[in-house]
Amino acid sequence: MDDWVDKLTRVGPEQDAALVELGELLKVRVKRAFKSRPKADSSFVDDVVQDSLATILASIRQFDGESKFTSWATTLAVRTALRQMRRLNWQDTSLDQMLSHNPAKVESRSPSGSDPAAIALSKQMVESMYRIINYELTDKQREVLLAHLNGMPQAEIGRRMNTSRNAVYKLGFDARKRLRDGLIAAGYSAEDLEAIKAAR
Amino acid sequence: MKITKEQLRALLGFVAKTADEEISCQTCEDQLSRFAEAQLTGDGVPGALQAIQKHLEICPECTEELEYICEALNDDLCD
């Protein structure tokens, strides 16, 4: 086990010194990772590192030694930064606004391509998919699926639905499984899906 | 609402890759630092982390997180 854990769990000057050292390392790494993101200025990085150090201290017993301690700590810092950025990026978007106030109706689109047989197969399969989305998913499954397709992060979907990120993941997973099983029941294989995906 | 062509393609991909059992983002997150180290050191993905690899194929958020982690660790991993 890394001796970082030992130093960080001792109350006193040794812990203070370890926190300073770890904070400096995380600043360098977070800056490097997010250098292409204009919002990741020094103030953002400082805030992220402070929040991350608090998280690291609070969850240090969860470090299992399977990676370097500094890799684990960096992972927590990157996650903190990403969550803050995602929250900032989506703060002005509501689910209703994103789903055009009508998540229960997804409109069909015409397939493109030149092979008539492939177009027919693709059209039938996509129509089956729309039918499942519109009529076989629960309202919550549909909302999660469509918000996800629009790029909204799960934590942000969860915030708007007053539920956890894990619960959002489960809703999305159940929606995908329902779609997959519905399409298989309609006679399509996973290979058909991949082929149609490639052709569209 | 309309689903764009790109969204439809992404959805088809996600549905095609949906397994009966998948790990959650939480479980993936718990292993990402180990996974990133394996990628960066060129050791390849150990068998125990194959479920992470599968999860990354259907989860853009965890994939994005892994990319940033690798960028953050890239120059220092061998220190």
Side-chain angles (χ1 to χ4, degrees):
Chain A
M1 186 73 70
D2 228 300
D3 73 344
W4 278 101
V5 175
D6 188 42
K7 287 192 272 185
L8 286 168
T9 47
R10 287 185 189 185
V11 179
E14 210 171 349
Q15 184 194 50
D16 294 343
L19 280 170
V20 170
E21 190 182 347
L22 184 59
E24 290 305 314
L25 176 68
L26 293 180
K27 271 186 200 173
V28 169
R29 288 181 168 182
V30 171
K31 266 185 201 164
R32 181 193 300 146
F34 291 90
K35 61 181 182 290
S36 62
R37 302 283 288 256
K39 285 179 184 166
D41 56 14
S42 298
S43 159
F44 174 85
V45 172
D46 288 347
D47 287 348
V48 163
V49 170
Q50 284 311 309
D51 289 351
S52 302
L53 289 174
T55 304
I56 288 162
L57 284 181
S59 53
I60 201 161
R61 295 292 172 205
Q62 293 167 25
F63 174 60
D64 59 10
E66 293 284 351
S67 65
K68 285 186 176 185
F69 178 82
T70 51
S71 299
W72 177 77
T74 302
T75 297
L76 292 186
V78 165
R79 188 168 303 143
T80 301
L82 268 177
R83 285 183 182 168
Q84 290 188 13
M85 277 195 170
R86 287 168 178 164
R87 190 167 187 172
L88 279 172
N89 288 341
W90 290 91
Q91 63 185 352
D92 297 326
T93 308
S94 72
L95 267 184
D96 281 350
Q97 182 188 352
M98 170 182 282
L99 304 179
S100 307
H101 304 279
N102 191 10
K105 290 292 170 192
V106 175
E107 298 168 41
S108 188
R109 293 178 65 89
S110 299
S112 56
S114 56
D115 178 354
I119 289 175
L121 177 67
S122 171
K123 191 168 185 293
Q124 287 167 11
M125 200 209 64
V126 171
E127 281 173 359
S128 296
M129 200 162 71
Y130 283 121
R131 178 183 48 74
I132 296 166
I133 292 174
N134 283 328
Y135 301 109
E136 295 188 26
L137 298 186
T138 66
D139 290 347
K140 285 189 173 182
Q141 286 172 346
R142 188 181 309 110
E143 277 186 17
V144 166
L145 185 77
L146 297 178
H148 179 67
L149 283 179
N150 277 279
M152 184 179 272
Q154 292 176 82
E156 295 307 308
I157 299 172
R159 204 187 309 285
R160 285 154 183 78
M161 293 175 78
N162 293 317
T163 191
S164 68
R165 184 181 174 214
N166 267 346
V168 171
Y169 180 83
K170 179 72 168 57
L171 283 165
F173 172 59
D174 289 344
R176 284 187 283 112
K177 215 159 55 163
R178 186 71 201 86
L179 267 168
R180 183 202 62 180
D181 293 347
L183 290 173
I184 289 170
Y188 302 102
S189 65
E191 289 73 25
D192 289 334
L193 266 64
E194 288 287 7
I196 290 167
K197 175 191 154 200
R200 288 184 74 90
Chain B
M1 69 172 280
K2 278 190 177 174
I3 293 181
T4 67
K5 193 173 173 179
E6 289 72 28
Q7 288 171 335
L8 184 58
R9 190 177 289 131
L11 180 58
L12 286 166
F14 293 143
V15 171
K17 286 175 181 155
T18 297
D20 286 332
E21 288 187 21
E22 293 177 359
I23 60 166
S24 67
C25 294
Q26 180 67 56
T27 306
C28 178
E29 285 177 353
D30 291 343
Q31 299 288 331
L32 267 190
S33 55
R34 187 178 167 205
F35 190 92
E37 283 186 348
Q39 275 211 327
L40 289 170
T41 55
D43 290 346
V45 178
L49 296 183
Q50 290 298 327
I52 305 294
Q53 181 77 61
K54 283 273 179 199
H55 178 82
L56 292 170
E57 288 172 11
I58 50 103
C59 184
E61 284 176 52
C62 287
T63 301
E64 182 183 39
E65 188 170 314
L66 176 67
E67 287 167 2
Y68 279 107
I69 293 166
C70 287
E71 189 66 29
L73 295 176
N74 201 11
D75 289 347
D76 298 337
L77 202 64
C78 298
D79 61 1

